[in-house]
Amino acid sequence: EKNRFEEHFFNCRSCFEELKAREEVVQVIKDRSDEIFARARPAGSEKASGLGPGRAWRFKPWWAAAASAAVVVLVLVLAGLRRPNVPPVFTLGDDEAIRGETLELLSPRDEIEPVPRFFEWTPLSRKARYVLSLSGRELIWSGETDENRLDLPANIQERLKPGRTYSWEVKAYSPPGTLITVSNKAEFRIRKD
């Protein structure tokens, strides 16, 4: 479920734009909360309105600020729906790694012979730590590297059997450990002699 969410979120511009707009509104409210709520609660305002403490809140100016923020979010969401579904670009702060880049799995793929000795994929444009997962019916092996190629240990090569189908995927992480992107799964089958 987590993998499906990540794959969709990292490739869906409208979902990314909606979340980004929400985060911007929340950040504005956090940054300016003292100012917004200070104006909303002038001393003695409840008594001056004659409405009492239970009803005075309905006419406070911070409601206008909240309504304006909701309108901004709605406009941004609607504007995002009209864009083509191009994978979004994610900037992750100080390390400047970009999410939204894709990893293409190169080898092994399809039907192969003999058992693969290594896995290879296209590298990202930025520095990343790659984590490869190899599965059959369940996870067989996982390995990490800073390169775009990873050798398969001999003891794992021995576990791979001809005639069976295996799948693998690669996840890329920024140096601080934030997920950048996840490849699609690739399958290979070891040809029987």
Side-chain angles (χ1 to χ4, degrees):
E1 191 174 313
K2 179 183 172 191
N3 289 342
R4 282 198 314 270
F5 169 79
E6 288 174 354
E7 185 174 339
H8 175 82
F9 183 73
F10 294 153
N11 292 297
C12 180
R13 178 170 290 284
S14 60
C15 288
F16 170 71
E17 292 294 335
E18 183 177 344
L19 184 62
K20 184 177 174 185
R22 286 182 186 178
E23 287 178 353
E24 288 172 1
V25 170
V26 168
Q27 192 59 46
V28 167
I29 291 171
K30 284 181 180 178
D31 292 345
R32 300 184 62 198
S33 64
D34 291 341
E35 180 184 338
I36 292 168
F37 295 114
R39 277 192 255 151
R41 289 184 232 123
S45 64
E46 292 175 358
K47 292 178 184 176
S49 69
L51 297 174
R55 294 183 54 192
W57 62 271
R58 292 183 186 166
F59 300 102
K60 301 264 180 172
W62 66 272
W63 275 99
S68 298
V71 169
V72 169
V73 169
L74 182 61
V75 168
L76 290 173
V77 168
L78 292 176
L81 293 177
R82 292 192 179 120
R83 294 182 186 166
N85 196 13
V86 177
V89 175
F90 298 74
T91 303
L92 296 178
D94 296 338
D95 60 327
E96 296 182 9
I98 297 175
R99 296 202 288 203
E101 288 188 76
T102 58
L103 288 170
E104 182 182 352
L105 303 182
L106 302 175
S107 176
R109 296 182 73 99
D110 306 319
E111 193 163 89
I112 62 166
E113 183 182 12
V115 173
R117 292 179 296 147
F118 63 89
F119 292 86
E120 188 172 18
W121 55 91
T122 57
L124 295 180
S125 62
R126 306 290 177 110
K127 183 175 180 172
R129 181 84 177 150
Y130 301 101
V131 177
L132 182 145
S133 298
L134 172 64
S135 301
R137 291 186 178 118
E138 57 187 39
L139 181 67
I140 297 171
W141 176 74
S142 183
E144 295 185 22
T145 183
D146 293 330
E147 305 296 323
N148 65 314
R149 178 182 164 135
L150 187 60
D151 291 332
L152 187 63
N155 64 324
I156 303 300
Q157 290 180 32
E158 293 170 4
R159 292 177 56 190
L160 303 183
K161 304 296 179 202
R164 293 194 183 159
T165 300
Y166 299 95
S167 66
W168 62 291
E169 72 176 357
V170 176
K171 293 182 180 182
Y173 295 88
S174 65
T178 304
L179 180 66
I180 300 171
T181 190
V182 180
S183 72
N184 289 324
K185 287 189 179 182
E187 289 189 345
F188 65 92
R189 184 175 184 268
I190 302 168
R191 191 177 298 131
K192 288 184 177 180
D193 292 333

